[in-house]
Amino acid sequence: RTNLFTSGDGAYPRYRIPSLTRTAKGSLLAVCEARTRTDSDWSHTDLLYRRSTDEGKTWSTATRIVPTPPSLTRNPVALAQRQGTAEERTLHNPVLIATHDGNVHLVFGAEYNRIFHSRSTNDGASFGPVQELTAVCDSLRPRYDWKVVAPGPGHGLELSPGRPGKTNAFASRLVVPIWLSLATHGGGHHPSTIATLVSDDHGVTWK
């Protein structure tokens, strides 16, 4: 057994929402939330990951998988319900999908009101610029006027590429569950519902 993230290591008192995936080349990627406080989902939180290329025998040093988006502002729900401070920024709910083509997709939340996607094309060694998907979630507002949103937690998946010679409209579709809340009760958690983000072009566009 290897402890990949231990509370108190690296100046983070708590690690939460872990996820582990195996790439097409066999590398292992572990990612989680690194929280600066232990009392709230709304603490200042980074996303850290570690990578192993030898079946988990050794692991890279824990590193931030993506930077905090520079335009990120505090969710009004956090301020209204006194969940942390105005200066804190929360990245959360990392979801990994290792696809058949060798890429690794990361979908994650920011401040519980924005969703982002990033991609690794080098077997998870690094991740590229982020693409914002919040507008896709906004399309649900006429039916459910959410104030809080989060992907996962845990994993998304890639549907089968299908059998050779057979037509499948959903072959290799990327699927990511998301959770949405009106955020009127329970520290911004209730009432709530669920939905799904999907991509049929390898993460270029989503619906």
Side-chain angles (χ1 to χ4, degrees):
R1 173 179 291 184
T2 302
N3 293 325
L4 297 181
F5 304 99
T6 302
S7 295
D9 285 356
Y12 295 102
R14 177 167 291 182
Y15 296 99
R16 290 270 290 156
I17 321 299
S19 179
L20 178 72
T21 196
R22 180 186 178 95
T23 70
K25 292 183 178 180
S27 296
L28 299 177
L29 298 176
V31 62
C32 72
E33 295 181 8
R35 299 184 178 186
T36 56
R37 289 191 287 111
T38 62
D39 60 339
S40 174
D41 289 343
W42 296 90
S43 69
H44 182 91
T45 302
D46 297 319
L47 299 182
L48 302 188
Y49 83 116
R50 300 184 68 178
R51 179 172 178 257
S52 174
T53 58
D54 56 7
E55 300 290 336
K57 296 181 180 66
T58 61
W59 292 82
S60 65
T61 302
T63 305
R64 293 174 68 185
I65 193 168
V66 288
T68 301
S71 61
L72 190 63
T73 58
R74 197 63 163 154
N75 189 327
V77 169
L79 298 177
Q81 299 196 17
R82 299 181 180 179
Q83 299 287 336
T85 67
E87 293 75 28
E88 290 179 299
R89 297 292 181 267
T90 301
L91 302 185
H92 55 88
N93 292 65
V95 171
L96 294 171
I97 311 174
T99 52
H100 294 89
D101 60 8
N103 291 330
V104 182
H105 297 267
L106 169 70
V107 176
F108 66 96
E111 278 301 309
Y112 293 100
N113 62 359
R114 295 172 71 178
I115 301 289
F116 293 89
H117 165 254
S118 181
R119 181 197 316 261
S120 172
T121 59
N122 56 6
D123 195 47
S126 62
F127 283 77
V130 297
Q131 164 196 13
E132 186 159 5
L133 306 182
T134 309
V136 181
C137 301
D138 286 340
S139 66
L140 295 172
R141 287 189 188 277
R143 286 175 286 169
Y144 193 82
D145 191 21
W146 61 269
K147 300 298 185 295
V148 165
V149 62
H155 294 85
L157 56 84
E158 178 192 31
L159 301 187
S160 166
R163 292 179 294 174
K166 300 293 183 178
T167 300
N168 181 357
F170 305 117
S172 299
R173 167 176 277 190
L174 303 183
V175 181
V176 177
I178 60 171
W179 164 85
L180 308 103
S181 175
L182 299 180
T184 56
H185 298 87
H189 289 77
H190 305 290
S192 61
T193 190
I194 56 174
T196 309
L197 289 174
V198 300
S199 175
D200 291 316
D201 53 13
H202 309 287
V204 177
T205 61
W206 295 79
K207 59 186 176 182

